[in-house]
Amino acid sequence: MITLTSDFGTPYPAAMKGVILKRCDARLVDVAHDLPRQDVRSAAFWLTQVLPEFPPAVHLAVVDPGVGTDRNALVIRAGDHLLVGPDNGVLLPPARELASGGNGDDYETDIDAYELEIEDPRSSTFHGRDVFAPAAAAVHEAGIDRLPEVDGVTPAEDVVDLRLPDPELGDDGATGDVLAIDDFGNTITNVPGDVLDGHDTVHIDGEEVPVVASYAHAEVGQRVATVGSHEKVEFAVNQGRGDDAFGLSVGDSVRVDWA
């Protein structure tokens, strides 16, 4: 199985699939191709949430604002999974999640990074088709145990290490960052959801909002704080957009007070 993730929209992912299918008969599964454009951190976050739900697979992820520059191309082994994509940090957070099995165990010894040789791609603006899709097919055919034998694959001495930010937690509140906003406008932070336990209301940047178990526990149009499927605090509006209602964007800092 090969999963595909990008910020390409359409029709570019179809070209990547065509390249892969010329080289192998892997089952192809789309994760998403409408991720926020050129937003490496948001892409990394979504991959941490989605990829652990898959059985062992090759995961092709291309959110690549540095396409055509001297940034490297990578294959990363994470447990029983392989990730293929640009060396801009997008692969490391999901690799850690896959290697740990999502349970917080020590994972560093279960991740290996390899550099892909880039040889005269057809285009300097579409490495998804010309570099990463062929590499995904090649490593899929070789299998995880024979990864070092794949042509053009060598151990990477250094990689761009993106780490999603940690919140600042205190006795009376937390300061966090907005990691992502989904298509419903739900505004997802890095604040752990358990900080809301036992609280009926919290203050978001100084304004009081109710804490609810799900969106429909609030009146239509009401602003709320809740815990999403990602187990993080998110700000939402029942049948509305939380990003608009709270005036928040990806990367913004936000304060949650419960005292």
Side-chain angles (χ1 to χ4, degrees):
M1 179 188 298
I2 299 176
T3 74
L4 296 94
T5 303
S6 75
D7 58 353
F8 292 164
T10 59
Y12 299 110
M16 293 195 296
K17 292 180 181 180
V19 167
I20 292 170
L21 292 173
K22 284 181 179 178
R23 290 164 169 79
C24 70
D25 60 357
R27 179 185 179 189
L28 304 183
V29 179
D30 291 306
V31 173
H33 296 292
D34 57 354
L35 294 179
R37 301 293 188 259
Q38 302 182 350
D39 188 340
V40 172
R41 192 174 80 168
S42 285
F45 168 76
W46 286 120
L47 290 169
T48 67
Q49 301 302 304
V50 176
L51 297 190
E53 304 302 330
F54 281 89
V58 175
H59 304 290
L60 172 57
V62 189
V63 175
D64 192 15
V67 63
T69 68
D70 60 359
R71 63 94 184 90
N72 292 326
L74 294 179
V75 180
I76 295 180
R77 183 191 65 80
D80 295 327
H81 297 256
L82 294 172
L83 298 96
V84 179
D87 182 15
N88 59 12
V90 69
L91 302 182
L92 263 295
R96 293 189 184 98
E97 196 70 19
L98 289 167
S100 72
N103 58 17
D105 290 344
D106 182 21
Y107 51 75
E108 294 292 357
T109 58
D110 208 20
I111 292 178
D112 297 306
Y114 298 86
E115 188 174 321
L116 284 169
E117 184 177 356
I118 301 176
E119 292 186 350
D120 299 323
R122 289 164 54 192
S123 168
S124 61
T125 62
F126 196 3
H127 284 184
R129 177 194 66 191
D130 300 338
V131 176
F132 300 119
V139 300
H140 177 274
E141 290 302 278
I144 197 165
D145 293 333
R146 294 178 54 218
L147 176 60
E149 301 172 22
V150 176
D151 288 343
V153 171
T154 57
E157 295 183 1
D158 192 21
V159 298
V160 175
D161 187 3
L162 172 67
R163 293 182 182 269
L164 299 178
D166 292 323
E168 297 178 9
L169 302 178
D171 292 336
D172 57 355
T175 300
D177 291 348
V178 176
L179 294 180
I181 296 172
D182 67 19
D183 286 348
F184 294 97
N186 299 322
T187 302
I188 303 161
T189 76
N190 61 345
V191 178
D194 58 10
V195 304
L196 300 184
D197 292 350
H199 299 290
D200 294 325
T201 64
V202 291
H203 287 81
I204 310 302
D205 286 339
E207 296 187 32
E208 187 176 35
V209 298
V211 174
V212 298
S214 67
Y215 315 112
H217 282 85
E219 298 293 330
V220 173
Q222 186 176 21
R223 302 192 314 162
V224 299
T226 190
V227 181
S229 60
H230 33 70
E231 300 181 349
K232 307 289 187 184
V233 174
E234 69 176 47
F235 311 130
V237 172
N238 184 18
Q239 300 184 37
R241 294 193 62 89
D243 54 344
D244 292 340
F246 286 91
L248 292 170
S249 300
V250 171
D252 284 352
S253 177
V254 63
R255 177 71 185 176
V256 182
D257 291 294
W258 49 80

